[in-house]
Amino acid sequence: MTSEISQTAESVDYTPFAHLTAPNAPLYRQVMRAFLAAKERFAVHLRPEDVYAVLDAGDRPAGLEAVTQALDKLVEWGNLRADPDHARVTAVEDFYRRRFIYQLTRAGEAAEAALGTYDEVLGRRGELQAVALHDIVTQLRALLVIAAEDEPDPAKTYVALSVLTARFTDLADNARAFMGSLQRTIDLHDIEVEAFLAYKDRLIQYLERFIQDLITLGGRIALLIGELEEQERVGPLLRLAAAREAADAAPEDAGRAEAVAYERWAARWSGLAEWFVSGEGRESQARLLRGRALGSIPQLLAVVRQLNERRAGRSDRSADFRTLARWFAQAPDDEARHRLWRVAFGLYSSRHLTVDADSLAERTASPESAATPWSEARSLRISPQLRRTGSYERRGRPRRVADRGEAKRRLAEIAARQTEETRRARDRLVTDGPVRLSRLGGLDPHAFQLFLRLLGDALATWRPGTITTVATSGDGSMEIRLTALDDGSTAEVHTSDGVFSGPDHLIDIVDLTVGQGDRAAAPPSAPVPLPAPRRDTAPQLTEDR
């Protein structure tokens, strides 16, 4: 069977694509589209006059003969099949006339399907699918429920993994297409100012909304993936899905089909995990996408600034060159163009090679042909002042190679010290359960800076009517849960720079770099009475110096 497959692959003929690069390619594409449209109407055969009638009036050839020749070439390339047309034979003389009806071949239909897919992919603008993030969270939770069963259902497992893979594929493909189209939008130069400004406002709102969803849901997806992998239930689920997919394979190929399916599912899961979870020395694709989206906003604003400068009368280098090109095109003769060239670029002839009057008269009396080799032409006298003798090399000992060992050691010490300070700040902020903000106590500068970043991530997701919000730090190492209180109490955080005060809240900070088992094994903290949550007040902290 393997040899048959290889022989089939080697015997594939790609001549049905020859009409794309042949002369009159637009006519061939129109003819093939006419046959595709007829196929959708369940019309099998077409005559040359039928094809000629459905062609666009603006691009239609002058006569039917050109269409007939195009049909014959498509038959030669394998896109169409020609059959004798006996339906309109009414006399013996008609048998001797060349009459054919044409229909699509399998190769021609496959070539048009491939071209349609090609056009569709090129025309896809892409989008940032925040709904897909919610769907991925839902399917991962469903997999957690299925994995908790003693005997997981293969059908439910296969459906959950299939939907998860489909939604993730759509998210990744559309995000890649959208960022590509966004970069092309940023690189636009000749664009209507008013249209771009209106589009810019909508685009920035769209990017900010997706970035917010990616911050909140990306960390949640990473936690769900980590929980599934910690339970070591991913492999069995993937094997169930592979067995379900290979159930209809032939008996002699069942084992191989299941192994191939398992490798395919394992690659899909690995791609999903790498997209949302950062590794050692590698940032996740979700984080890179977030950085690209955040970086595109200043680029859009820079384009707006350039447009405003142009409207205010200022010009950039590209506008100057376009104006200069317009002046060259409007110059009356070559002499004016040469004069404009010298004025614009300051390129003059070499003064030391200027021909004097005597040399010019000699050249006029005895001209030198342009085809004369330089070795046979009359020599020119050059002033001795232009000659250089000796060597330009710098004399003396070469410079010593600088020793960077001490600088590298200092950089390594600084990096180690910063890493240790960050670790201590994380350990200081971890709460081991919900606690009041007022009980957080004093913070050193490093812990206070980390606390402000976490609080900023939480407040970025706060909306009117919100009671509790959950956010993940930018590096995915910590999670903060903030809950509003309704008792009117005030919290104060003492730092070396002053007192940070504001309404009291319940706060729960978790170090995501520590496993869930480590957190469960830690001694429980003292219970904290939880007052009724406040619904109408978002956290507004103030700093007292």
Side-chain angles (χ1 to χ4, degrees):
M1 180 175 296
T2 304
S3 60
E4 294 178 359
I5 294 176
S6 62
Q7 291 176 2
T8 304
E10 293 175 357
S11 62
V12 173
D13 187 9
Y14 296 102
T15 53
F17 293 96
H19 68 284
L20 300 177
T21 56
N24 297 326
L27 177 60
Y28 296 136
R29 291 301 309 275
Q30 289 188 51
V31 171
M32 294 301 296
R33 281 194 289 267
F35 276 92
L36 287 178
K39 183 177 180 297
E40 294 177 356
R41 302 191 305 268
F42 302 101
V44 179
H45 298 88
L46 290 180
R47 295 183 175 88
E49 53 268 24
D50 299 332
V51 177
Y52 183 81
V54 299
L55 294 180
D56 296 335
D59 301 331
R60 184 184 301 169
L64 183 62
E65 184 64 24
V67 175
T68 303
Q69 294 176 0
L71 291 172
D72 293 339
K73 292 296 293 183
L74 290 171
V75 171
E76 179 182 345
W77 289 323
N79 301 79
L80 301 177
R81 192 184 75 184
D83 297 319
D85 185 8
H86 301 303
R88 294 183 296 175
V89 175
T90 58
V92 176
E93 292 80 4
D94 293 337
F95 280 101
Y96 298 99
R97 296 178 181 176
R98 190 173 179 271
R99 298 177 181 271
F100 291 99
I101 54 177
Y102 301 88
Q103 71 175 31
L104 276 173
T105 62
R106 291 181 58 188
E109 186 175 354
E112 289 303 311
L115 293 174
T117 303
Y118 178 79
D119 294 336
E120 178 184 357
V121 172
L122 285 184
R124 179 188 299 170
R125 292 195 58 179
E127 56 188 6
L128 300 176
Q129 297 177 322
V131 179
L133 294 172
H134 291 275
D135 295 341
I136 291 174
V137 171
T138 301
Q139 296 304 320
L140 288 174
R141 287 175 176 171
L143 286 175
L144 280 174
V145 174
I146 295 173
E149 299 176 356
D150 295 334
E151 295 183 1
D153 188 354
K156 293 181 180 179
T157 304
Y158 180 78
V159 170
L161 285 173
S162 298
V163 174
L164 175 64
T165 303
R167 297 302 289 152
F168 167 67
T169 303
D170 291 341
L171 172 67
D173 293 343
N174 282 281
R176 182 172 59 252
F178 178 82
M179 295 311 297
S181 63
L182 176 61
Q183 187 61 45
R184 289 191 294 271
T185 301
I186 295 174
D187 293 338
L188 288 178
H189 296 287
D190 298 329
I191 187 172
E192 295 183 3
V193 177
E194 300 299 334
F196 180 79
L197 293 179
Y199 174 71
K200 178 265 302 180
D201 294 334
R202 297 194 303 270
L203 181 60
I204 290 179
Q205 294 177 3
Y206 182 69
L207 289 172
E208 289 177 344
R209 186 169 61 252
F210 177 77
I211 290 170
Q212 175 184 340
D213 292 334
L214 187 61
I215 291 174
T216 56
L217 297 178
R220 197 173 305 171
I221 292 173
L223 288 177
L224 291 172
I225 292 175
E227 190 173 350
L228 276 169
E229 292 180 346
E230 287 175 1
Q231 295 179 3
E232 297 182 356
R233 300 304 299 271
V234 176
L237 292 177
L238 297 181
R239 289 188 179 88
L240 286 176
R244 177 81 175 180
E245 183 176 341
D248 295 332
E252 61 272 12
D253 294 335
R256 180 177 176 274
E258 184 174 350
V260 172
Y262 176 76
E263 292 180 0
R264 185 163 53 249
W265 280 110
R268 294 170 181 171
W269 179 265
S270 176
L272 173 66
E274 292 179 357
W275 214 87
F276 288 101
V277 181
S278 300
E280 184 177 357
R282 176 190 58 81
E283 293 185 352
S284 64
Q285 293 296 320
R287 186 173 181 183
L288 294 176
L289 176 62
R290 173 186 172 187
R292 286 282 306 280
L294 286 172
S296 62
I297 295 178
Q299 294 179 12
L300 283 171
L301 297 178
V303 173
V304 174
R305 184 169 59 253
Q306 293 177 3
L307 293 176
N308 290 332
E309 291 177 353
R310 293 180 186 178
R311 296 172 68 183
R314 297 180 59 183
S315 61
D316 55 5
R317 183 173 298 178
S318 60
D320 293 340
F321 280 125
R322 285 194 295 270
T323 302
L324 185 60
R326 202 159 41 243
W327 290 351
F328 272 107
Q330 296 172 357
D333 50 25
D334 288 343
E335 183 179 355
R337 295 186 186 95
H338 285 294
R339 187 165 58 252
L340 178 61
W341 172 270
R342 289 192 294 271
V343 171
F345 298 101
L347 298 179
Y348 302 95
S349 59
S350 300
R351 289 177 297 175
H352 61 279
L353 294 179
T354 302
V355 179
D356 56 12
D358 295 339
S359 299
L360 186 60
E362 182 182 355
R363 290 285 181 177
T364 304
S366 177
E368 195 79 55
S369 173
T372 304
W374 65 270
S375 59
E376 300 176 3
R378 294 193 302 273
S379 60
L380 292 176
R381 295 183 178 182
I382 305 297
S383 173
Q385 296 179 359
L386 300 177
R387 300 177 182 174
R388 285 188 177 182
T389 58
S391 175
Y392 187 67
E393 296 181 359
R394 186 184 298 275
R395 301 299 182 181
R397 297 176 56 186
R399 294 182 179 180
R400 297 181 57 185
V401 178
D403 185 8
R404 307 294 182 182
E406 181 64 22
K408 292 181 179 179
R409 186 187 62 79
R410 291 182 57 188
L411 290 176
E413 291 178 355
I414 294 173
R417 185 173 66 254
Q418 292 177 350
T419 302
E420 180 63 21
E421 291 172 351
T422 303
R423 185 191 62 78
R424 288 200 300 265
R426 283 204 304 264
D427 295 343
R428 172 63 183 84
L429 292 178
V430 171
T431 59
D432 293 331
V435 298
R436 282 178 173 269
L437 186 58
S438 57
R439 296 185 56 184
L440 196 60
L443 297 177
D444 59 80
H446 299 288
F448 183 61
Q449 292 296 328
L450 180 58
F451 169 73
L452 288 181
R453 288 197 296 268
L454 288 173
L455 190 61
D457 292 336
L459 294 180
T461 63
W462 199 278
R463 293 293 180 270
T466 302
I467 301 174
T468 301
T469 184
V470 180
T472 307
S473 61
D475 58 357
S477 62
M478 303 194 74
E479 181 184 81
I480 179 173
R481 180 183 297 272
L482 194 65
T483 304
L485 300 179
D486 198 20
D487 56 358
S489 58
T490 302
E492 292 185 353
V493 178
H494 294 268
T495 69
S496 59
D497 297 328
V499 179
F500 196 77
S501 62
D504 202 2
H505 289 73
L506 282 181
I507 187 171
D508 184 10
I509 301 177
V510 181
D511 188 356
L512 300 180
T513 60
V514 181
Q516 297 294 332
D518 297 338
R519 189 183 178 195
S525 59
V528 179
L530 305 181
R534 181 171 55 194
R535 298 177 179 271
D536 57 348
T537 303
Q540 299 176 352
L541 301 182
T542 60
E543 185 176 3
D544 298 333
R545 292 284 180 180

